[in-house]
Amino acid sequence: MLKATALSRSAAARWWDAGLLTLAVLLAAAFFLAPPLLGPSRHNDFPRAFVAYWSSGSPDFPPDLQHLVDHQFRYHLARVMIALSLVAVLVALAYRLRRFRLPTGALALAAAVLLIANVQGAVSPFGTLLPILASGPADADSAAVLAQVHHQLENDPASPALDVMLAEYVRWHVVKAVLVGLLATVLVGLSVVAWRRRRLVSLLTGVTAAAALVVVAANVTTAANPIPPFLLLLQSS
């Protein structure tokens, strides 16, 4: 009777593990395949929409730019929900599958990094569009606007549009600093817990935590003095 009960529990555990593995694979696929179903990104329209926004002299986005920002928000929000679920599933698998704890934990860490990046995108959707300005050759209108942006960054006063741009840029880095800081705290805790039994895992986790703290320091520095790195962001334009 006891043997049958143990076998039944073992079979149930295997089914749970198989279900979690299947769910992890489906979520990983959904992370890349589902958000594009929200519609075309129309990123090529951003330089034109940005020129119109800058020329308006208003901090409020015109309709064309607002559409792009809204799409960017929905895109990243969808990825946040999927990545959050994926992190939870991978953490559960790391807890249940002791023999595969290290690779599963590494996958959970990768999913957490993707989660952080997309939380940044959802919190600062306009900020995630700004690098497009430096991604390729600018037309005459865009080049003229970017020259004005450079001038205002180096010489006060700033226009309302530039104030919004800098606020989004700072918010993007503040959110990253906070979330990576939380991740570093978790990693330090895991490193301490693992020290007695699995020192290699503890060391690897500690090194990863140290790297995360470097990222935190870099983002705090950028948020405290955003103009020089923002100029670098636009420099290739």
Side-chain angles (χ1 to χ4, degrees):
M1 183 68 177
L2 291 175
K3 186 177 181 180
T5 302
L7 289 173
S8 176
R9 289 178 178 175
S10 178
R14 286 195 295 270
W15 276 107
W16 270 105
D17 295 341
L20 287 171
L21 283 168
T22 302
L23 183 57
V25 171
L26 292 175
L27 287 170
F31 181 85
F32 295 101
L33 299 177
L37 298 178
L38 295 172
S41 63
R42 294 174 54 194
H43 284 170
N44 291 337
D45 294 338
F46 178 69
R48 177 184 55 79
F50 176 77
V51 169
Y53 171 54
W54 182 267
S55 302
S56 71
S58 170
D60 300 324
F61 298 145
D64 286 348
L65 182 56
Q66 187 65 58
H67 175 79
L68 293 172
V69 171
D70 290 344
H71 179 275
Q72 197 77 348
F73 170 76
R74 291 191 298 269
Y75 179 91
H76 286 290
L77 182 61
R79 282 194 154 184
V80 165
M81 293 186 292
I82 296 169
L84 184 61
S85 301
L86 182 57
V87 169
V89 170
L90 289 171
V91 168
L93 281 170
Y95 175 78
R96 293 178 62 86
L97 303 177
R98 294 185 179 182
R99 292 178 58 188
F100 303 99
R101 187 161 291 174
L102 184 58
T104 309
L107 289 173
L109 177 61
V113 171
L114 293 174
L115 173 62
I116 289 171
N118 284 278
V119 169
Q120 289 177 266
V123 171
S124 179
F126 179 52
T128 64
L129 290 167
L130 292 176
I132 296 174
L133 297 174
S135 63
D139 58 27
D141 290 338
S142 297
V145 167
L146 287 170
Q148 295 175 29
V149 172
H150 279 263
H151 178 75
Q152 289 190 19
L153 284 169
E154 295 170 343
N155 307 275
D156 290 333
S159 68
L162 183 56
D163 287 337
V164 172
M165 292 166 65
L166 285 172
E168 289 269 335
Y169 183 71
V170 169
R171 185 183 304 118
W172 193 90
H173 285 283
V174 168
V175 169
K176 187 171 184 176
V178 171
L179 294 180
V180 175
L182 290 174
L183 179 60
T185 302
V186 172
L187 291 171
V188 169
L190 291 174
S191 179
V192 171
V193 170
W195 178 251
R196 289 186 178 181
R197 294 185 178 181
R198 305 188 69 179
R199 296 206 171 182
L200 177 60
V201 173
S202 176
L203 288 172
L204 290 173
T205 307
V207 169
T208 306
L213 290 174
V214 171
V215 173
V216 171
N219 281 272
V220 169
T221 302
T222 298
N225 186 22
I227 292 180
F230 191 66
L231 276 169
L232 287 175
L233 175 68
L234 302 177
Q235 193 170 25
S236 62
S237 300

